Amino acid sequence: MKHLFSLLALVGIGAAMGTQPALAMEGSETSRQQQQKMMNIAHRGASGHSPENTMAAFQKGFEMKADYIEMDVQMTKDGELVIIHDTTVDRTTDGTGNVGELTFEEMRQLDAGSWFHDNYAGEKVPSFVEVLDAFRGKTGILIEIKAPELYPGIEEKVAEALKERNMHQPNHQKIIIQSFNHESMKKSKELLPQVPHGVLAGRGWAKVTDEQLAEFASYADYFNPNMTIVTPELVDRVHKAGMMMFPYTSRTQEQADHLFQLNVDGIVTDFPEHVYYHPVHNH
Ligand code: G3P
Ligand code: CA
């Protein structure tokens, strides 16, 4: 197994440096090893370094060479898609109130950076299309539809924005859509059949059955669990069901190391440097 980790590490180093190791260049080995590359997903942007879900955090994730930036999409009172995690603006802005009860104009008046550090004063709550237009083609985008039960029609609006930009085609853009609301993902998959989808799974899914995994696999490409429920057996069962796994959320080097060794497909982290500077690289 140690050799496998070393191989994974070698491929990871190559990817992080924008190069491919020589042994990954040969025939069928190439695709197998590329599949094994550990995806580095900047959670809410590089949110350990910059205020979550702001353009500054997404830019930081891009500069740190994350494979994907992850973001949370919600909808304002007047139907605009905005990027914010909580269903209220209280924690991450200088305002108060529910996202769904504020207009886009009201949201844009808020300071979404000062709570994190004075250096980020004036950061705004981004719109969904602003992030798409800034980063499409530059890095992968993991789109979480947050609390879609509060925002009827949000799946259609997400689909519309992607289609307008021709981002709904296979292999055209690195786009994945995920949600804790699995009915929403079924609906979104129907709207965007060529876009990979993921089901998010909290701690309550620790005992997920093979039947449930098969049902998820009928519309999802990823089973993305809370990292605390990930075991080697679960990783294996998810792979056998035909899905990949990006567990969330690693915040320490030790957590990233642990997930790396469990053979997951990607690590959702606040600190992208924990994934591509994995210590196994030094073995
Ligand atoms: O990528 C999964 C992760 O973002 C889910 O948790 O609460 O940070 O949105 P949360
Ligand atoms: Ca999220």
Side-chain angles (χ1 to χ4, degrees), residues 43-44 70-72 85 144 146 178 200:
H43 178 237
R44 310 180 196 169
E70 189 260 359
M71 63 176 168
D72 301 291
H85 178 271
E144 179 180 345
K146 184 61 86 185
Q178 65 176 1
L200 283 163

Side-chain angles (χ1 to χ4, degrees), residues 144-146 148 178-182 185 198-202 224 248:
E144 179 180 345
I145 304 185
K146 184 61 86 185
Q178 65 176 1
S179 184
F180 285 104
N181 183 322
H182 303 161
M185 290 301 89
V199 292
L200 283 163
N224 294 341
Y248 66 92

Side-chain angles (χ1 to χ4, degrees), residues 15 30 56 209 227 258:
T30 308
T209 65
M227 65 178 178
H258 179 63

Side-chain angles (χ1 to χ4, degrees), residues 5-78:
F5 296 146
S6 300
L7 176 62
L8 290 170
L10 190 57
V11 174
I13 287 173
M17 297 173 66
T19 61
Q20 287 288 331
L23 84 165
M25 296 295 187
E26 300 293 326
S28 62
E29 280 294 281
T30 308
S31 58
R32 189 175 65 78
Q33 289 167 0
Q34 281 172 348
Q35 279 170 11
Q36 288 176 331
K37 178 184 177 297
M38 186 63 62
M39 289 294 157
N40 189 340
I41 302 116
H43 178 237
R44 310 180 196 169
S47 58
H49 299 281
S50 307
E52 64 180 60
N53 282 323
T54 61
M55 293 304 275
F58 299 132
Q59 179 63 25
K60 185 73 177 171
F62 168 66
E63 287 168 7
M64 295 181 80
K65 301 191 173 10
D67 297 294
Y68 288 84
I69 50 173
E70 189 260 359
M71 63 176 168
D72 301 291
V73 184
Q74 298 188 56
M75 193 157 77
T76 62
K77 183 180 178 182
D78 50 348

Side-chain angles (χ1 to χ4, degrees), residues 7-260:
L7 176 62
L8 290 170
L10 190 57
V11 174
I13 287 173
M17 297 173 66
T19 61
Q20 287 288 331
L23 84 165
M25 296 295 187
E26 300 293 326
S28 62
E29 280 294 281
T30 308
S31 58
R32 189 175 65 78
Q33 289 167 0
Q34 281 172 348
Q35 279 170 11
Q36 288 176 331
K37 178 184 177 297
M38 186 63 62
M39 289 294 157
N40 189 340
I41 302 116
H43 178 237
R44 310 180 196 169
S47 58
H49 299 281
S50 307
E52 64 180 60
N53 282 323
T54 61
M55 293 304 275
F58 299 132
Q59 179 63 25
K60 185 73 177 171
F62 168 66
E63 287 168 7
M64 295 181 80
K65 301 191 173 10
D67 297 294
Y68 288 84
I69 50 173
E70 189 260 359
M71 63 176 168
D72 301 291
V73 184
Q74 298 188 56
M75 193 157 77
T76 62
K77 183 180 178 182
D78 50 348
E80 293 293 325
L81 298 182
V82 287
I83 306 304
I84 186 166
H85 178 271
D86 298 1
T87 55
T88 76
V89 300
D90 302 11
R91 180 178 60 87
T92 57
T93 77
D94 58 349
T96 56
N98 293 326
V99 172
E101 290 171 0
L102 293 166
T103 64
F104 181 65
E105 200 46 47
E106 287 167 339
M107 293 282 291
R108 292 293 277 185
Q109 304 301 320
L110 303 177
D111 178 340
S114 291
W115 70 274
F116 187 85
H117 194 283
D118 290 347
N119 291 349
Y120 294 96
E123 277 290 327
K124 294 190 186 315
V125 174
S127 70
F128 179 54
V129 295
E130 183 180 6
V131 182
L132 291 184
D133 288 338
F135 293 100
R136 64 193 172 121
K138 293 167 82 177
T139 182
I141 305 177
L142 176 56
I143 300 164
E144 179 180 345
I145 304 185
K146 184 61 86 185
E149 58 280 5
L150 299 179
Y151 311 111
I154 191 169
E155 297 87 357
E156 284 84 353
K157 284 191 182 269
V158 168
E160 194 183 325
L162 293 175
K163 284 181 177 172
E164 276 171 10
R165 290 163 178 77
N166 202 28
M167 295 172 75
H168 62 302
Q169 309 280 12
N171 302 324
H172 185 65
Q173 305 280 349
K174 259 196 334 184
I175 300 294
I176 304 170
I177 301 176
Q178 65 176 1
S179 184
F180 285 104
N181 183 322
H182 303 161
E183 288 306 312
S184 171
M185 290 301 89
K186 268 191 208 170
K187 180 178 179 184
S188 180
K189 185 70 180 181
E190 281 174 20
L191 296 168
L192 297 165
Q194 295 176 304
V195 173
H197 282 67
V199 292
L200 283 163
R203 291 166 197 253
W205 286 96
K207 292 188 180 1
V208 63
T209 65
D210 285 340
E211 289 69 32
Q212 288 168 325
L213 289 175
E215 156 68 7
F216 290 145
S218 68
Y219 58 90
D221 308 86
Y222 292 83
F223 178 80
N224 294 341
N226 185 297
M227 65 178 178
T228 60
I229 68 168
V230 182
T231 62
E233 292 72 29
L234 182 60
V235 175
D236 195 44
R237 288 170 55 224
V238 167
H239 286 164
K240 285 202 170 100
M243 295 182 286
M244 289 183 280
M245 186 194 282
F246 292 174
Y248 66 92
T249 300
S250 172
R251 296 194 171 90
T252 67
Q253 184 67 68
E254 291 68 31
Q255 290 168 338
D257 296 350
H258 179 63
L259 290 172
F260 196 101

